[in-house]
């Protein structure tokens, strides 16, 4: 592995951090940074929001006692001030923060005032907008901060699929094209949201030539105060590291090279098919609602003129996208047939 960052989602107590660090040492898991969230950006108020400055004191103690490098998330200039006060070695910008250029600017300025050489890892924004992600890198570079890495943590989509945050691997490919020199670290924990899927995400990432990972690791994941379902144990992490290492050392035969290329494209297709189904499902649900409205107002289900307008609009859209018109025609008719069926069943 090129870079391994591991540690709990949140710092909960000094004992918790120490237990995890001890297990890393015992199992000879070689981490570049020990991670722990200190201020947690939670979706809903009233949930665990991190231990703040106390947790920074624990992290500093851990760093000194275990000779580790530590990293944490900063989301404001005050966080930056405190992180430097407690000798944090690297900082990361969370997905919610990357989405906000005002905050990114404020943080970049605060870091530049302290130490321009510190490593800053920028997570992708919540939604797939490549220019916003790349824009955050530009803001740091404009302030003279050049030790930057990217963290791919997936994207929150309107309707959840298999993963908590869809990996949309095409975004990784596009990011690499936009910033070929920047190291990309994959965060399988926030992508999967489920420890059973962590290995699978790591495997997919290696197909895209990614060798750097940030993995949320807890001594007792089920009891974690945040992100309990996605955290793994140090034992699990050790197996994961060994697996990636074994994969790396094997020189690829032609068959394996083919397999790797094809599985990259297949993982993109799988994500897209899943999204297609989600959208079709949403459409069917809207159809059902329309069926009920028609029933309530005694209107016939099949409305030829309306359907023709709908079809022509979509064929026009297809043309603009460069999609085959006949394909669109057949597809829309098929979808419509099943919509009418669903409405008749009401
Ligand atoms: C985290 O790393 O704990 C975190 C909050 O991540 P994200 O910003 O990716 O949601
Ligand atoms: Mn987390």
């Amino acid at each position: 592995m090129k870079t391994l960052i591991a540690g709990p989602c949140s710092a909960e107590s000094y004992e918790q951090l120490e237990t995890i660090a001890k297990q890393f040492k015992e199992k000879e898991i070689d981490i570049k940074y020990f991670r722990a969230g200190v201020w947690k950006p939670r979706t809903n108020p009233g949930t665990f929001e991190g231990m703040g400055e106390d947790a920074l004191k624990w992290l500093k103690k851990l760093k000194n006692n275990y000779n580790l490098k530590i990293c944490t998330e900063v989301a404001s200039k005050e966080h930056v001030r405190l992180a430097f006060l407690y000798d944090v070695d690297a900082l990361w910008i969370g997905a919610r923060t990357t989405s906000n250029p005002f905050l990114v600017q404020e943080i970049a300025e605060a870091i530049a005032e302290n130490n321009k050489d510190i490593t800053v890892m920028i997570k992708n924004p919540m939604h797939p907008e490549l220019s916003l992600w790349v824009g955050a890198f530009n803001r740091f570079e404009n302030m003279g901060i050049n030790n930057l890495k990217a963290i791919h943590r997936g994207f929150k989509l309107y309707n959840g699929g298999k993963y908590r945050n869809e990996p949309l691997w095409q975004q990784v490919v596009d990011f690499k094209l936009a910033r070929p020199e920047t190291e990309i670290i994959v965060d399988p924990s926030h992508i999967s949201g489920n420890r059973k899927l962590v290995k699978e995400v790591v495997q997919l990432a290696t197909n895209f030539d990614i060798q750097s990972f940030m993995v949320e690791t807890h001594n007792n994941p089920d009891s974690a105060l945040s992100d309990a379902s996605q955290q793994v144990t140090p034992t699990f992490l050790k197996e994961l590291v060994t697996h990636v290492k074994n994969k790396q050392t094997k020189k690829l035969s032609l068959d394996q090279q083919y397999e790797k290329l094809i599985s990259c494209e297949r993982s993109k297709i799988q994500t897209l098919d899943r999204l297609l189904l989600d959208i079709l499902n949403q459409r069917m649900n809207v159809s059902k609602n329309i069926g009920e409205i028609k029933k309530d107002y005694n209107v016939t289900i099949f409305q030829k003129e309306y359907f023709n307008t709908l079809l022509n609009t979509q064929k026009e859209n297809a043309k603009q996208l460069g999609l085959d018109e006949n394909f669109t025609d057949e597809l829309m008719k098929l979808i419509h047939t099943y919509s009418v069926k669903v409405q008749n069943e009401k």
Side-chain angles (χ1 to χ4, degrees):
M1 257 188 210
K2 186 171 175 184
T3 300
L4 176 64
I5 302 168
C9 176
S10 302
E12 299 169 6
S13 66
Y14 179 71
E15 290 65 36
Q16 172 230 19
L17 299 180
E18 187 173 50
T19 310
I20 299 166
K22 263 191 191 153
Q23 292 190 26
F24 287 167
K25 282 259 139 83
E26 279 161 20
K27 295 178 192 302
E28 296 177 342
I29 301 172
D30 193 15
I31 53 167
K32 182 151 190 170
Y33 298 109
F34 185 96
R35 67 148 281 156
V38 161
W39 301 281
K40 300 306 297 176
R42 305 312 299 277
T43 307
N44 286 305
T47 42
F48 177 68
E49 291 189 330
M51 301 300 287
E53 194 170 347
D54 282 347
L56 286 173
K57 290 180 188 159
W58 306 330
L59 277 173
K60 185 171 177 179
K61 188 170 161 194
L62 192 81
K63 168 178 167 154
N64 293 334
N65 289 351
Y66 287 83
N67 193 24
L68 285 168
K69 286 194 168 162
I70 51 171
C71 69
T72 199
E73 173 177 348
V74 286
S76 70
K77 62 178 180 207
E78 178 59 7
H79 292 171
V80 172
R81 186 184 71 79
L82 287 164
F84 277 102
L85 189 64
Y86 291 97
D87 292 336
V88 173
D89 298 289
L91 305 169
W92 83 81
I93 310 299
R96 291 155 192 81
T97 309
T98 309
S99 308
N100 182 338
F102 287 129
L103 277 180
V104 172
Q105 186 62 34
E106 170 185 314
I107 292 167
E109 286 170 16
I111 293 175
E113 274 174 32
N114 283 278
N115 176 8
K116 288 184 180 169
D117 294 327
I118 194 166
T119 295
V120 180
M121 299 175 283
I122 306 176
K123 288 199 168 196
N124 62 262
M126 296 296 284
H127 62 286
E129 189 178 357
L130 185 68
S131 51
L132 196 55
W133 196 5
V134 171
F137 281 80
N138 295 338
R139 284 181 193 277
F140 280 95
E141 282 169 346
N142 286 348
M143 298 309 301
I145 302 159
N146 292 304
N147 286 331
L148 303 174
K149 296 178 197 292
I151 302 179
H152 172 45
R153 49 80 76 203
F155 301 91
K156 186 85 202 156
L157 299 183
Y158 179 62
N159 233 5
K162 175 177 178 183
Y163 300 115
R164 178 181 179 190
N165 292 294
E166 280 297 332
L168 303 183
W169 296 106
Q170 187 62 45
Q171 283 274 314
V172 172
V173 175
D174 292 343
F175 182 90
K176 275 192 184 179
L177 289 173
R179 294 189 58 96
E181 305 300 329
T182 305
E183 181 181 346
I184 301 178
I185 300 166
V186 161
D187 172 346
S189 311
H190 289 90
I191 289 177
S192 68
N194 173 354
R195 74 179 70 93
K196 290 199 182 91
L197 299 174
V198 164
K199 188 171 174 192
E200 167 184 316
V201 174
V202 166
Q203 239 151 353
L204 287 173
T206 59
N207 287 338
F208 288 90
D209 279 332
I210 286 168
Q211 300 296 339
S212 301
F213 298 94
M214 178 191 256
V215 187
E216 285 191 340
T217 313
H218 195 288
N219 52 313
N220 185 2
D222 284 330
S223 73
L225 297 180
S226 58
D227 287 349
S229 53
Q230 71 194 32
Q231 300 202 58
V232 301
T233 58
T235 308
F236 184 102
L237 183 65
K238 178 72 188 177
E239 282 167 24
L240 200 65
V241 174
T242 314
H243 172 77
V244 174
K245 223 191 226 156
N246 290 342
K247 233 182 143 184
Q248 239 175 303
T249 47
K250 278 190 210 139
K251 193 155 171 25
L252 297 185
S253 66
L254 272 181
D255 276 357
Q256 286 166 324
Q257 285 175 26
Y258 162 79
E259 211 31 66
K260 187 174 153 185
L261 286 172
I262 206 83
S263 52
C264 277
E265 296 310 307
R266 283 183 178 149
S267 39
K268 289 187 212 159
I269 290 277
Q270 265 179 31
T271 307
L272 291 170
D273 281 352
R274 170 78 215 192
L275 295 175
L276 259 175
L277 284 180
D278 277 340
I279 293 199
L280 285 172
N281 186 36
Q282 287 178 49
R283 194 190 188 284
M284 279 305 170
N285 287 336
V286 175
S287 265
K288 279 183 201 159
N289 293 344
I290 293 179
E292 298 209 343
I293 298 171
K294 284 178 182 162
K295 198 172 145 203
D296 288 349
Y297 289 85
N298 236 342
V299 176
T300 52
I301 284 179
F302 182 56
Q303 313 238 330
K304 193 164 186 293
E305 255 170 58
Y306 172 71
F307 177 65
N308 281 337
T309 324
L310 195 90
L311 189 60
N312 288 334
T313 313
Q314 294 317 328
K315 277 164 86 172
E316 197 44 52
N317 286 338
K319 214 166 153 184
Q320 280 173 18
L321 288 169
L323 269 176
D324 188 290
E325 261 186 83
N326 290 333
F327 165 66
T328 311
D329 186 81
E330 279 183 43
L331 180 68
M332 291 310 297
K333 283 180 180 156
L334 180 69
I335 292 174
H336 184 253
T337 305
Y338 279 85
S339 283
V340 170
K341 194 167 166 251
V342 158
Q343 293 187 357
N344 274 324
E345 279 164 7
K346 279 270 139 201

